[in-house]
Amino acid sequence: MKFDVLTLFPAFFESPLQAGVLGKALEKQLFHMAIHNLRGWAEAPHFVVDDAPYGGGGGMVMKPEPIRRALDAIRREAPRSRLLLMTPQGRAFRQRDAVGLSREEGLILLCGRYEGIDERVRAWVDDEYSIGDYVLTGGEYAALVIIDAVARLLPGVLGNELSAGEDSFGDGLLEYPHYTRPAEFDGIRVPEVLQSGNHAEIARWRRRERLRRTLERRPELLDEAALSTGDRRLLAELRNRPEEKKE
Ligand code: ADE
């Protein structure tokens, strides 16, 4: 997988992509990254990338020509990559999008800045994504979020191959609670079942806690979650015993 990022602020990506899990994966060349400075495709001598909006009003709009030249150049090296535009007007980015995108050969992430991008650019993109219903100063934040969510699904990126499988949202449910030593802290004991060594019991407890958490915090996720008959029975129990829902 190759990520090509087109941005006015390449420095933005330096430290997040050096640190932690993604930094290590990049070192091991488990995926590839190229950060392209959009200004490099603007015209000398002023290298202008934005202009006033037609129709008046505040703010500046990113011009289409440098973006077109940059994309043409990037596409020559990555003809089959999917082109994604980061914008608050896009479709809400979800885990299933990350899963789908992780199967692509490459992704080009176009980061908007200023008031927006000339509308004609939108005709060239494959998908428009928003990372939430709020407005950021630029698409760079969204691009990093998407890169992280996709890259961690690529083979070998997470040391432990199991780790991505039980993620929150993997099957539409939130994750179960985690504990490590000590067995008691601040007067709160780790649930006995987790110390029992009984793996079947532990699996049952975890499933139940996932259902409970999702019911409490994000009940709307249950409509789309992959639920078995047993899950539905547990959910009915949890719904009938609201006092047990409290943590
Ligand atoms: N650019 C500005 N805000 C954004 C958002 N919420 N998602 C994606 N790109 C953005």
Side-chain angles (χ1 to χ4, degrees):
M1 162 81 79
K2 170 148 191 228
F3 296 92
D4 285 286
V5 180
L6 186 54
T7 173
L8 284 167
F9 300 93
F12 191 98
F13 294 87
E14 277 167 22
S15 94
L17 294 172
Q18 276 168 20
V21 172
L22 293 200
K24 285 211 183 71
L26 271 171
E27 251 172 46
K28 289 196 217 155
Q29 306 201 340
L30 295 174
F31 66 95
H32 305 275
M33 229 26 258
I35 311 293
H36 308 272
N37 188 347
L38 179 59
R39 214 169 282 280
W41 280 277
E43 276 185 67
H46 298 298
F47 300 96
V48 174
V49 291
D50 59 333
D51 204 343
Y54 270 105
M60 297 291 268
V61 176
M62 288 171 72
K63 290 166 67 59
E65 312 94 303
I67 299 177
R68 163 62 71 79
R69 285 193 286 270
L71 290 176
D72 284 349
I74 294 169
R75 278 229 177 277
R76 271 198 291 280
E77 304 289 313
R80 282 180 296 277
S81 287
R82 207 168 170 80
L83 174 54
L84 316 181
L85 173 63
M86 308 298 112
T87 163
Q89 299 175 30
R91 194 153 59 87
F93 180 73
R94 302 189 58 173
Q95 183 66 22
R96 58 169 169 262
D97 299 302
V99 172
L101 293 175
S102 71
R103 297 181 183 132
E104 295 287 334
E105 197 174 301
L107 300 176
I108 304 170
L109 297 102
L110 173 54
C111 305
R113 279 265 161 176
Y114 308 113
E115 291 305 289
I117 290 192
D118 187 284
E119 185 67 16
R120 289 162 288 192
V121 171
R122 300 174 85 164
W124 317 331
V125 310
D126 296 306
D127 304 300
E128 299 185 22
Y129 281 117
S130 162
I131 58 160
D133 289 339
Y134 35 76
V135 181
L136 305 164
T137 54
E140 283 76 10
Y141 299 91
L144 271 179
V145 165
I146 291 180
I147 291 166
D148 189 274
V150 171
R152 66 187 286 289
L153 298 175
L154 300 173
V157 170
L158 294 183
N160 173 0
E161 287 296 333
L162 285 176
S163 343
E166 288 205 338
D167 284 340
S168 284
F169 305 116
D171 55 8
L173 297 177
L174 301 184
E175 238 181 307
Y176 52 77
H178 298 275
Y179 294 91
T180 185
R181 278 178 287 194
E184 183 171 339
F185 185 73
D186 261 354
I188 302 170
R189 285 193 60 72
V190 173
E192 291 302 326
V193 56
L194 296 182
Q195 302 174 64
S196 69
N198 182 334
H199 294 293
E201 278 294 317
I202 292 170
R204 257 196 302 281
W205 180 88
R206 286 180 167 167
R207 189 72 188 173
R208 189 180 163 92
E209 290 305 311
R210 295 189 69 201
L211 291 163
R212 183 207 305 280
R213 284 229 147 148
T214 312
L215 180 64
E216 275 177 15
R217 299 175 185 207
R218 299 288 307 277
E220 77 282 7
L221 293 177
L222 292 169
D223 298 338
E224 292 182 34
L227 299 178
S228 67
T229 321
D231 290 336
R232 291 184 195 283
R233 202 171 45 237
L234 277 173
L235 267 178
E237 267 175 48
L238 290 167
R239 284 196 173 101
N240 290 334
R241 276 189 269 156
E243 75 285 359
E244 209 201 316
K245 283 202 281 175
K246 297 208 186 71
E247 277 171 20

